[in-house]
């Protein structure tokens, strides 16, 4: 065993020793689908199952404010369910349950004394992605060379959530250097998808996705790296929001050690129920994040945007729908999911029109040039601290580019081409006003979250369906729609392909391999339309639920 392997093993042992002994499973389940295990294991009481199985985050917050549940018993229930989720998927990196319970007891005492809840998230347990600083809790980003680094203060997002009454209690696993659509690194290993443990839960916030999917959390915070990628929470069958770059805070400190703050990320909420997106985003924005993070715009929550004032008040919306970006076609399950969404929206009185991607091949190449401008020098310098190797799935970077560090002059030339492309893309969107019949462009775009269902562990990845949102800084929300069904999502033979990647990903699809993998869609708005995107996600989700109840 190498030195770095020994350090990683010791860290994992230290983490696992913090799991409550009465939550340990008697044996490791062998089923691929373990989504029902927390509820059927016999470990959680009826009261704990009631709390963690709440039908909505709003209902749970109402119960906390009505004192139907105390903050302590809610936090305890989620800590115990998180411990079970971790044993099933390897989703946690840091555990501080005792500290969270003490925090919850303080909230209960304060509520009893003042008669007022702390804030809009009073008593709600929240989980956080590994990159987010929590004072006194080790933060390594999944690098062996960064083990032992402990933040001396909270990140801005942590501060704002705590001020709103939330209770952080655990940290979740990530992709090495936060740079691909899975959650695997040399310190904590690989997180799997609870619906099919041969598949990834997505990433780089994969630990967060797996935890929420098993209801070990109902609200968490994940991220995109600015200018980089994510395969979002739709891969775990839950809801997520990617805000515009300067709307949601990040910055924190970590005892002044270099490297820990080199990544500026776009953080966003991930939730078990759709109302969590609005509750979390609004609570953070109402906390005036610009007073803590110098990058965040002084842009308060806009009820006007949320009520869709620029989109006909939400009546008779026009959605552009894309099932194929013209560079890599999405796998068969997405065609069924999009058809279900289209039918549900039309039944609800909205209009769905085809959307043609604007030069996806060129956009994907530009995205790669921005993402890999440093040739991953930061990554390799960090790996050298411990001697650990690089890990990740096939295709964890745009395959057309070599990892060469570009000059400053070349980088600004890339940025110039990027801005020209984004203007052309914006014009392409705005020209749809000529055909919608409403006098305005399509209100939002609906498309797959990836070209494939949740990939096999270390399987080939394509980021194009989300990368264009990162490149153009477009807010997007992900909602779950269905699961891969081998009887319905048959493999389809094609005679022609756009390129080698399109061919490889299409032929890789096997409905039995991907069985039960969650399939979600994105709702994408124009820049800084975060509140509008949240509302449109609620509308799409409600339409889907209404159609399924008929």
């Amino acid at each position: 065993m190498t030195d770095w392997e020994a350090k990683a093993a010791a860290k994992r042992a230290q983490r696992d020793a913090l799991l409550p002994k009465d939550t340990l499973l008697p044996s490791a389940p062998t089923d691929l689908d373990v989504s029902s295990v927390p509820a059927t294991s016999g470990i959680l009481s009826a009261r704990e199952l009631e709390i963690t199985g709440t039908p909505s985050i709003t209902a749970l917050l109402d119960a906390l404010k009505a004192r139907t549940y105390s903050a302590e018993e809610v936090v305890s229930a989620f800590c115990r369910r998180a411990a079970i989720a971790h044993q099933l998927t390897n989703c946690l990196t840091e555990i501080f349950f005792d500290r969270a319970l003490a925090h919850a007891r303080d909230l209960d005492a304060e509520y009893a004394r003042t008669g007022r809840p702390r804030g809009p998230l009073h008593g709600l347990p929240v989980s956080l992605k590994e990159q987010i600083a929590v004072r006194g809790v080790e933060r390594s980003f999944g690098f062996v060379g960064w083990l032992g680094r402990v933040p001396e203060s909270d990140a801005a997002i942590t501060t704002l959530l705590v001020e709103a009454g939330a209770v952080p209690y655990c940290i979740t696993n990530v992709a090495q250097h936060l740079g691909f659509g899975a959650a695997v690194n040399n310190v904590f290993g690989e997180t799997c998808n609870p619906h099919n443990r041969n598949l990834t839960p997505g990433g780089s916030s994969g630990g967060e996705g797996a935890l929420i999917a098993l209801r070990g959390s109902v609200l968490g915070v994940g991220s995109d790296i600015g200018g980089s990628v994510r395969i979002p929470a739709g891969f775990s069958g839950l809801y997520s929001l990617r805000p515009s770059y300067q709307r949601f805070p990040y910055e924190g400190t970590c005892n002044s050690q270099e490297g820990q703050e080199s990544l500026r990320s776009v953080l966003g909420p991930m939730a078990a129920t759709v109302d969590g997106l609005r509750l979390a985003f609004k609570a953070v924005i109402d906390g005036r994040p610009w007073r803590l993070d110098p990058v965040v715009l002084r842009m308060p929550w806009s009820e006007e945007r949320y009520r869709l004032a620029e989109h006909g008040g939400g009546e008779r919306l026009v959605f552009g729908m894309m099932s194929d970006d013209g560079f890599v076609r999405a796998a068969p399950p997405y065609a069924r999911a999009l058809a279900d969404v289209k039918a549900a929206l039309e039944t609800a009185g909205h209009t769905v029109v085809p959307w043609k991607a604007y030069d996806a091949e060129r956009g994907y190449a530009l995205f790669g040039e921005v993402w890999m401008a440093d040739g991953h020098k930061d990554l390799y310098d960090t790996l050298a601290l411990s001697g650990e190797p690089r890990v990740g799935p096939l295709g964890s970077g745009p395959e057309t580019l070599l990892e060469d560090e570009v000059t400053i002059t070349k980088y600004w030339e890339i940025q110039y081409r990027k801005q020209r492309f984004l203007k052309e893309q914006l014009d392409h969107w705005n020209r749809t006003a000529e055909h919608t019949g409403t006098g305005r462009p399509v209100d939002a775009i609906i498309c797959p979250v990836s070209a494939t269902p949740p990939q096999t562990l270390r399987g080939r990845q394509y980021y194009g369906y989300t990368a264009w949102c990162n490149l153009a800084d477009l807010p997007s929300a992900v909602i779950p729609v269905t699961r891969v069904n081998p009887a319905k999502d048959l493999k389809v033979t094609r005679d022609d392909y756009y390129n080698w990647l399109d061919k490889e990903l299409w032929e890789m699809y096997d409905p039995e391999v991907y069985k039960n993998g969650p399939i979600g869609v994105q709702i994408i708005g124009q820049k800084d339309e975060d509140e509008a995107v949240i509302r449109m996600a609620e509308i799409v989700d409600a339409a889907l639920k209404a159609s399924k109840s008929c």
Side-chain angles (χ1 to χ4, degrees), residues 331-340 453 482-492 506 509-519:
Y334 284 108
R336 180 168 62 86
L338 290 167
D340 288 349
T482 188
R483 306 270 179 84
V484 176
N485 183 333
K488 296 180 179 180
D489 303 317
L490 303 177
K491 191 176 181 72
V492 177
W506 188 267
Y509 172 70
D510 181 331
E512 290 296 336
V513 171
Y514 293 102
K515 182 179 179 180
N516 213 38
I519 299 294

Side-chain angles (χ1 to χ4, degrees), residues 190 195 221 251 347 426 525:
E190 190 146 30
H195 301 290
V221 179
E251 299 300 344
T347 299
L426 177 61

Side-chain angles (χ1 to χ4, degrees), residues 2-276:
T2 64
D3 180 63
W4 73 260
E5 288 174 318
K7 289 178 179 177
K11 176 61 183 177
R12 291 192 299 273
Q14 178 193 58
R15 171 202 60 188
D16 292 345
L18 295 172
L19 294 171
K21 298 297 186 290
D22 61 350
T23 65
L24 298 182
L25 296 168
S27 60
T30 57
D31 292 342
L32 290 181
D33 183 353
V34 295
S35 56
S36 65
V37 172
T40 60
S41 64
I43 292 173
L44 300 177
S45 69
R47 178 81 162 179
E48 289 169 332
L49 290 173
E50 177 184 282
I51 290 169
T52 56
T54 183
S56 73
I57 297 173
T58 299
L60 182 56
L61 287 168
D62 287 346
L64 280 160
K65 289 169 186 173
R67 304 189 199 183
T68 304
Y69 306 136
S70 69
E72 182 179 5
E73 66 175 328
V74 169
V75 170
S76 175
F78 279 100
C79 286
R80 289 169 55 76
R81 189 151 182 161
I84 299 170
H86 173 68
Q87 295 170 72
L88 299 171
T89 62
N90 188 41
C91 57
L92 302 183
T93 62
E94 302 292 339
I95 294 168
F96 44 102
F97 295 165
D98 288 347
R99 170 173 159 176
L101 288 167
H103 183 172
R105 286 192 290 271
D106 287 344
L107 285 176
D108 287 333
E110 177 184 319
Y111 198 0
R113 185 177 67 255
T114 66
R116 295 188 303 275
R118 170 71 62 87
L121 304 180
H122 176 89
L124 187 71
V126 295
S127 47
L128 301 170
K129 185 179 181 179
E130 165 69 29
Q131 75 192 90
I132 300 172
V134 177
R135 180 182 55 81
V137 176
E138 188 172 356
R139 183 178 63 154
S140 68
F141 284 79
F143 286 119
V144 178
W146 282 357
L147 285 173
R149 297 188 175 191
V150 179
E152 294 177 349
S153 61
D154 288 336
I157 182 63
T158 309
T159 297
L160 290 158
L161 288 168
V162 170
E163 288 178 349
V167 182
Y169 64 110
C170 63
I171 306 294
T172 54
N173 203 23
V174 295
Q176 185 184 75
H177 78 102
L178 314 182
F180 47 83
V184 56
N185 55 73
N186 289 317
V187 178
F188 301 106
E190 190 146 30
T191 302
C192 59
N193 194 311
H195 301 290
N196 180 336
R197 293 194 292 174
N198 283 335
L199 307 178
T200 174
S204 60
S205 309
E208 198 63 37
L211 179 66
I212 297 174
L214 287 171
R215 287 297 188 104
S217 174
V218 287
L219 182 65
V221 179
S223 78
D224 298 329
I225 302 173
S228 188
V229 303
R230 54 98 191 249
I231 301 295
F235 272 12
S236 293
L238 52 118
Y239 301 85
S240 72
L241 174 70
R242 179 214 180 273
S244 297
Y245 177 68
Q246 291 178 289
R247 291 298 305 279
F248 222 65
Y250 167 58
E251 299 300 344
T253 59
C254 189
N255 61 18
S256 302
Q257 298 190 61
E258 61 184 357
Q260 291 266 28
E261 298 303 332
S262 63
L263 299 174
R264 168 73 203 191
S265 296
V266 180
L267 298 179
M270 301 169 66
T273 58
V274 70
D275 56 330

